[in-house]
Amino acid sequence: MTTAKAIGQDILDQISAAYHAKDFEAFAKVIDLPHTIITFEHTLTIKTKPDLHEVFRAVVRFMRQNNVTDGVRTCLAARFIAPDRIEATHETHFLSRGHRICPPYPSLLIYIRRDGQWKMQSANNAIDTQTGPLRFPQLHRFAKPPHTAG
């Protein structure tokens, strides 16, 4: 049996390669819909493939505008929480010719297996997309404010 960490890293590698090649279909193949993206400001729920394509284009645009030559995603830890569900943490690094363009950030991911294929179902990213170095304001049309206690 493949380890949870190996499965998580494989999907992260496929995502990085898809962004680098600007290959939306390769990206979409490993993303489950609906897909949830959480940041400090918002929870984004992507329900359709056209909306997922919009998210993909926004990240590709960010990478082009910031001269990103490498988007490195490293799985730090992962575990099976059910036979068809993995919880994992990873760190993302955006580099331009070997130099960081922003601090790396961690994420908590959920992967699920559907019809024998592993896909990323959600990503909880420790980033500030309003004022931090990674700004994706065009995605906020999918957003609702994050859950707050109290």
Side-chain angles (χ1 to χ4, degrees):
M1 174 180 252
T2 303
T3 68
K5 189 173 180 180
I7 292 166
Q9 187 62 56
D10 179 59
I11 292 172
L12 293 171
D13 292 345
Q14 289 182 62
I15 289 169
S16 292
Y19 280 131
H20 183 71
K22 299 174 183 68
D23 183 348
F24 172 69
E25 291 305 322
F27 174 77
K29 183 176 83 171
V30 295
I31 303 296
D32 188 54
L33 292 176
H35 183 74
T36 303
I37 302 170
I38 301 168
T39 67
F40 289 151
E41 302 83 19
H42 298 287
T43 296
L44 310 173
T45 301
I46 313 305
K47 296 179 181 175
T48 67
K49 196 168 178 182
D51 288 346
L52 183 64
H53 196 202
E54 187 173 334
V55 171
F56 178 82
R57 284 193 313 262
V59 174
V60 168
R61 187 176 316 115
F62 162 81
M63 292 173 69
R64 184 185 67 245
Q65 290 171 344
N66 290 279
N67 299 311
V68 173
T69 54
D70 296 292
V72 180
R73 292 164 178 84
T74 304
C75 185
L76 302 173
R79 66 183 179 129
F80 287 96
I81 54 177
D84 294 323
R85 194 171 178 85
I86 294 172
E87 182 178 71
T89 58
H90 89 281
E91 197 169 65
T92 298
H93 305 259
F94 286 114
L95 308 168
S96 179
R97 292 179 279 293
H99 298 283
R100 288 189 196 285
I101 65 159
C102 60
Y105 64 91
S107 300
L108 174 65
L109 307 174
I110 300 295
Y111 298 104
I112 61 160
R113 181 168 39 192
R114 274 195 213 285
D115 302 322
Q117 182 177 352
W118 286 100
K119 297 181 175 207
M120 185 187 299
Q121 186 178 54
S122 67
N124 189 335
N125 303 302
I127 56 174
D128 180 345
T129 57
Q130 289 287 325
T131 60
L134 302 175
R135 294 186 187 161
F136 301 110
Q138 63 274 32
L139 300 184
H140 293 170
R141 75 176 186 84
F142 299 109
K144 62 181 179 186
H147 173 73
T148 54

